[in-house]
Each structure stands twice: as structure tokens, then as C-alpha cells.
Amino acid sequence: MPYFSDQTFQNFSAADFQIGEYEGCTFVGCNFSNLNFHGCSFENCSFKNCDLSNSKVSQVSFRQVKFETCKLLGVHFNAANPFLLEFDFQNCQLDYCNFFNLQLKKSIFKNSRLREVDFSQAELGGADFQGSDLTGAVFDRTNLEKADFREAINFRIDPERNRIKGARFDLDGLPGLLSNYGIKIG
């Protein structure tokens, strides 16, 4: 399998991409939508202004991977290799993604759009959701202890079905925590 280290790939399309191991690489302005990444490994890599919508990530390794201003609609990250999985999403569109049952402690989902995302049974202790839109996101039996939801909007989290001890919320976020109780605020 080809090995790539400390390289920058600009404006690549799915046809230009090679299955392989990528370490310390940067992908800028690439369109990898609908690409099957099966067999790839990414370590200390970053994706900037890329489209990975509907890409297949079954058994793909993501170790310390950063996505900035990327479009990742409908990606089933729950199929990725769970070993040492670590993400940093900033200013990304992650609508309809699946993170079911993943260990994602201290992962970053900052200033991103996370509509209809499935976080059921995920380990998200210490995760950062600051400034993100969580419309329709599913949190069910999710560990959100010490997670940061300041400035996040449109979330609904049932404190009885999720662990939220030490999580941070703005006062504006109270309706998202109390909606199951029929309590009206304001």
C-alpha cells in the first residue's frame, strides 16, 4: 500500500485519489464526495475546504484528523476503525452523519452544522460543541460529561437518558434540556 508523508494535495477529485496511508498530509479544496476510502489510514492529517459528502469510511483509520470548513454530509463514521479515533471539526457541515457508539472523548465539533446527526451511545466526555447547530441531533444514552455546549443552538438533550454531569450550557440552552418536561421558559 502506498505511503504518503507531509504532502499537500490540492484540488484533487475522487479520480486523483490513491488508497494508502497518509501521515501529516494536508488536503485543500478536494472533492472526494461518494469516494470509498476503504483501506485508508489518516494520521495527523487535515482537510480544508473539502467535500467528503456520502463518502464510505468503513474500517478507515482517523487519528488526530482535522476538518476545517468541509462538507461531510451523510458520512457513517461509526463504520470507521474505532482504534485511537480522534476528530477536530471546525466550521463544517456534518448533516446526517452517524457517530453511533464511538469513543470520541474531547473531540471538537466547533461552529459546525450537525443537523440530524446520530450521537446515540457515543462517548463524548469533554467534547466541544460551541457555536454549533444541533437541530434534530440524537443524544440517547450518550456520555456528555464535561462537554461544552455554550453558544450551541437547537439541541434537545434528555438529562435522564444521557450523562451530562459537568457539561457547560448557556442560559439560552435551558429549553433544550427541559423540553421533555413540558416546562416553558420566558
Side-chain angles (χ1 to χ4, degrees), residues 15-74:
D16 302 317
F17 185 79
Q18 271 189 292
I19 300 297
E21 295 179 36
Y22 293 86
E23 186 174 345
C25 293
T26 303
F27 299 87
V28 181
C30 298
N31 184 352
F32 296 141
S33 61
N34 297 303
L35 180 64
N36 188 346
F37 286 100
H38 184 77
C40 282
S41 171
F42 299 99
E43 187 169 345
N44 295 314
C45 290
S46 63
F47 292 82
K48 297 176 183 178
N49 301 309
C50 293
D51 185 353
L52 288 90
S53 296
N54 297 310
S55 57
K56 311 293 182 271
V57 295
S58 178
Q59 295 307 306
V60 174
S61 292
F62 292 100
R63 293 186 187 103
Q64 297 179 330
V65 177
K66 185 173 189 172
F67 295 91
E68 294 177 62
T69 321
C70 289
K71 190 174 176 182
L72 300 117
L73 307 178

Side-chain angles (χ1 to χ4, degrees), residues 127-140:
D128 187 348
F129 291 95
Q130 287 184 76
S132 290
D133 179 357
L134 293 153
T135 303
V138 177
F139 295 97
D140 184 35

Side-chain angles (χ1 to χ4, degrees), residues 5 7 12 16-17 50-51 68 71 75 82 85 90 105 108 112 126 130 142-143 149 151 158 160 165 170 173 176-177:
S5 177
Q7 294 184 39
F12 270 41
D16 302 317
F17 185 79
C50 293
D51 185 353
E68 294 177 62
K71 190 174 176 182
V75 178
L85 193 64
Q90 298 202 29
K105 279 186 176 181
I108 297 169
S112 294
Q130 287 184 76
T142 305
N143 182 356
F149 286 91
E151 298 180 25
D158 184 346
E160 293 181 18
K165 185 178 181 178
D170 291 326
L177 291 172

